[in-house]
Amino acid sequence: MHTFLQRMPTEIKGTLSGLDRVRFRGTLRWLASLRGLGSYLGTMRVLLMNFKAWTMDLTEQIAEATERLAEAAGRPVVYLESSRERKETRAIDIARADGVTEGLIAVLKCVEPCQTFTVGGNRTEKKLFLKPVSGKCSHLYFYVFDPQFGLMHLRLQMWVPFSIHVCLNGRDWLANQLTQAGIGFDQRDNCFVDVDDIAAAQALLSQQLRTNWSSLLDGLVTRWPPAHRTMFTAPPLDYYWSAEETEWATDVLFRSPAALARVYPNLLRHATTTFGSRDVLRFLGQAPVVHRNTTREIISSTLTRPEGTRVKHAINRNSIKMYDKQQSVLRVETTINNPRDMKVYRSKEGDDSGQKEWLRLRKGVADLHRRAELSQKSNERYLETLPAVDHDQPLGETVRPICQPTEWHGRRVRALQPLSPNDNQLLAAVIRGEFALNGFRNRDLRPLLFGDDTSSAPDVPANEARRQSNKITRLLRLLRGHGLIQKVPKTHRYILTEPGRQTITALQIARQTSTQQLAKLAV
């Protein structure tokens, strides 16, 4: 990311990295599993034949408590006929119409899909039993202008297991923090186009991660969906909090819309045409290996919106995307829904004093700090691949040196032919995003240039493997002679030089640009 910022020091004000939208899930773990619910019903001495009546009584308690809360606040409870209606828009419209600036805006109620339990019968054994089912039930949305978080909402399922979601926005939270600190800013939508003290704003964003999430979320649940205080007291049930979805955004603040408009089309084209499956894996912190036997699908897509165009790369419900916001902000955002492919250094759950090791990243808020760290690294890796795109030298001037013979260490080096299939294949291989940080080795280029990965095809003859390795050595010498790559000291790895990255990136973009587009640029 530092390389990207150094390329345009006079056009960029600074960056802000932190939480964007976050959706927390509160789970009553005793009620969320088949075994746990059965145990709880036994503790409460509720017979399975009375399960439905018991659940309906709890649902009625939620409804009555919600009505009392809304009546006390003088706010409406609105039933939505369609669950597809955009609820945030409806809540904002109500707030504007009624002049609500703090506290409860409204409670929206609708029927939506849910995971729940029901009681079935076994005719052979003549017994009743609990079973999990997918169904539909009523949900309550509590939309609130919170003094700390700004606009937020809580979503409560009105049927067993009474799960709850808390959705807030780190940028709205930052706006309140900046106001309290007396720091001026210009916020549009959920991003900042200007901040008087960017360093202080970044410190406040980083401070958000030091929150005691369980205590904070418990307080919000106690305040807004009030029925929980009386529903589960003997024995008491507490919510287990997890981060079901997190968006971590890095905003690059440009000094003017014109500055971003000048570079964004090239950035977008580069991300769309250059990044491959291995690049996406590398960005999201996974080994850049595409397995043949897998159900995971790597998808890259573009979407044109009224305010601009965004490119998105996704795998296994996690994604990274880039888009322009409010004309002068370049945003790179990592979204994590499924953290199981990632690792955290911790002791096993329930054994805090045990030996630490690298284990799967959990959804629980205890691992939220590590999740943020991984997301930030993902954004940085993405931005680090982009700096060479912003290069205002004419293409002819850029590629002329490599199209002429030269000398390296007293030996003649032939000219490159960047439009020929072989040389283009070589240049496309070394510019791959998976090599952006750690570089590449001779063995890394073999499957890309010869299409026979020896790790999956060990029967490649030794003499053929040696021939391929020798040829790649000569090609590496060719690239080094033209100053496109350099060797990492005391290793067998190579990395692109800054001129090399600029030259190869320019060539890759030119190859992906139509003659019609080039003609327009030349006018």
Side-chain angles (χ1 to χ4, degrees):
M1 183 170 74
H2 299 293
T3 306
F4 181 83
L5 300 179
Q6 291 171 0
R7 288 286 300 156
M8 295 169 282
T10 62
E11 298 177 347
I12 295 176
K13 302 175 187 176
T15 64
L16 288 174
S17 295
L19 293 172
D20 189 33
R21 292 184 177 91
V22 186
R23 184 171 70 245
F24 295 98
R25 178 186 178 93
T27 305
L28 299 173
R29 300 177 90 173
W30 206 349
L31 306 185
S33 67
L34 198 62
R35 182 178 179 182
L37 179 58
S39 175
Y40 184 78
L41 294 176
T43 302
M44 299 298 294
R45 300 184 181 279
V46 176
L47 300 177
L48 292 183
M49 61 182 298
N50 298 327
F51 173 75
K52 185 175 182 179
W54 174 75
T55 302
M56 291 182 66
D57 178 64
L58 293 176
T59 300
E60 186 64 27
Q61 290 183 44
I62 294 174
E64 291 176 356
T66 301
E67 290 286 350
R68 290 194 299 269
L69 174 69
E71 183 178 355
R75 305 308 309 142
V77 177
V78 181
Y79 179 77
L80 305 181
E81 295 184 357
S82 173
S83 62
R84 296 184 178 181
E85 181 175 350
R86 186 169 175 81
K87 301 167 186 66
E88 183 173 313
T89 301
R90 183 67 173 270
I92 292 175
D93 290 343
I94 293 174
R96 288 174 178 170
D98 296 348
V100 180
T101 58
E102 62 180 25
L104 183 67
I105 299 172
V107 181
L108 307 182
K109 182 178 181 180
C110 65
V111 176
E112 294 180 334
C114 68
Q115 295 296 320
T116 184
F117 301 91
T118 189
V119 173
N122 187 319
R123 293 186 178 181
T124 303
E125 298 182 4
K126 297 182 179 181
K127 289 182 179 180
L128 298 177
F129 61 92
L130 282 170
K131 60 179 181 180
V133 293
S134 298
K136 289 186 176 182
C137 70
S138 294
H139 290 75
L140 296 175
Y141 285 79
F142 297 79
Y143 273 89
V144 177
F145 276 128
D146 187 83
Q148 181 176 1
F149 303 112
L151 179 64
M152 58 166 294
H153 75 268
L154 301 90
R155 174 182 181 266
L156 176 63
Q157 180 174 318
M158 296 183 69
W159 197 259
V160 174
F162 304 106
S163 300
I164 191 169
H165 290 87
V166 178
C167 300
L168 53 88
N169 191 302
R171 264 36 183 195
D172 289 340
W173 185 0
L174 175 62
N176 289 332
Q177 290 176 304
L178 291 173
T179 300
Q180 293 176 4
I183 300 174
F185 62 91
D186 183 4
Q187 182 187 17
R188 302 174 192 170
D189 193 20
N190 69 328
C191 74
F192 295 85
V193 297
D194 193 21
V195 181
D196 290 349
D197 190 339
I198 294 179
Q202 181 58 65
L204 291 172
L205 271 173
S206 301
Q207 182 182 334
Q208 292 177 1
L209 291 176
R210 295 193 286 271
T211 300
N212 185 333
W213 295 105
S214 294
S215 176
L216 183 146
L217 295 168
D218 284 339
L220 291 173
V221 169
T222 301
R223 183 178 179 186
W224 297 115
H228 184 266
R229 291 195 297 264
T230 58
M231 286 171 55
F232 305 110
T233 56
L237 296 182
D238 296 321
Y239 279 106
Y240 170 80
W241 292 104
S242 57
E244 191 165 72
E245 180 182 73
T246 57
E247 295 178 352
W248 183 271
T250 296
D251 291 343
V252 182
L253 280 62
F254 281 75
R255 296 189 181 278
S256 68
L260 177 57
R262 182 179 65 81
V263 301
Y264 187 66
N266 285 340
L267 299 179
L268 186 66
R269 188 182 301 111
H270 179 70
T272 304
T273 61
T274 305
F275 296 152
S277 299
R278 290 179 172 84
D279 303 323
V280 177
L281 290 168
R282 174 73 73 180
F283 294 145
L284 294 173
Q286 301 178 40
V289 178
V290 179
H291 299 281
R292 297 179 180 179
N293 299 320
T294 179
T295 58
R296 300 187 303 174
E297 184 178 11
I298 302 174
I299 299 174
S300 292
S301 63
T302 58
L303 175 67
T304 300
R305 305 160 294 141
E307 61 271 24
T309 303
R310 72 103 174 100
V311 58
K312 179 179 179 180
H313 317 277
I315 178 175
N316 205 18
R317 298 175 58 235
N318 300 326
S319 66
I320 183 168
K321 55 187 176 183
M322 176 182 70
Y323 53 107
D324 53 335
K325 290 183 69 69
Q326 302 301 324
Q327 299 182 327
S328 62
V329 176
L330 175 68
R331 171 167 289 187
V332 174
E333 179 178 283
T334 295
T335 301
I336 297 180
N337 290 280
N338 182 11
R340 290 180 60 82
D341 292 332
M342 304 170 187
K343 300 290 186 180
V344 59
Y345 192 67
R346 61 174 175 85
S347 55
K348 293 182 178 179
E349 189 171 358
D351 186 15
D352 295 338
S353 60
Q355 184 177 359
K356 292 184 177 182
E357 54 185 310
W358 286 104
L359 300 173
R360 287 186 183 275
L361 187 67
R362 301 166 293 187
K363 281 192 172 184
V365 294
D367 287 348
L368 185 57
H369 194 280
R370 170 63 174 169
R371 190 162 167 171
E373 179 184 8
L374 292 171
S375 298
Q376 176 63 20
K377 289 181 178 179
S378 174
N379 291 352
E380 291 177 354
R381 278 189 286 265
Y382 198 91
L383 283 167
E384 191 66 23
T385 64
L386 300 176
V389 181
D390 179 47
H391 185 54
D392 55 7
Q393 188 179 43
L395 181 62
E397 294 294 327
T398 301
V399 303
R400 181 179 293 116
I402 69 171
C403 295
Q404 299 175 352
T406 186
E407 286 191 1
W408 185 66
H409 289 184
R411 297 180 60 180
R412 183 181 183 277
V413 177
R414 73 168 175 87
L416 279 165
Q417 300 175 8
L419 297 183
S420 69
N422 291 337
D423 283 359
N424 175 67
Q425 184 183 26
L426 172 63
L427 297 176
V430 299
I431 195 68
R432 292 171 70 95
E434 63 204 76
F435 304 141
L437 295 182
N438 298 323
F440 53 87
R441 300 165 296 180
N442 185 307
R443 71 175 71 173
D444 296 325
L445 298 182
R446 284 182 58 192
L448 300 177
L449 300 181
F450 298 100
D452 53 359
D453 186 353
T454 55
S455 64
S456 58
D459 55 340
V460 174
N463 60 340
E464 175 64 14
R466 186 164 51 253
R467 184 191 70 81
Q468 294 175 1
S469 179
N470 291 338
K471 182 174 182 179
I472 292 177
T473 297
R474 293 193 295 272
L475 292 175
L476 292 174
R477 185 184 300 121
L478 172 66
L479 296 178
R480 294 180 73 182
H482 284 286
L484 300 180
I485 65 172
Q486 62 186 19
K487 195 171 187 294
V488 180
K490 300 181 181 180
T491 72
H492 296 290
R493 293 184 177 273
Y494 299 86
I495 59 174
L496 290 171
T497 61
E498 185 61 24
R501 185 177 297 278
Q502 293 174 358
T503 301
I504 299 175
T505 299
L507 286 168
Q508 294 301 305
I509 292 175
R511 286 185 63 88
Q512 299 295 333
T513 305
S514 67
T515 304
Q516 183 179 10
Q517 291 172 317
L518 289 174
K520 290 180 179 179
L521 292 173
V523 175

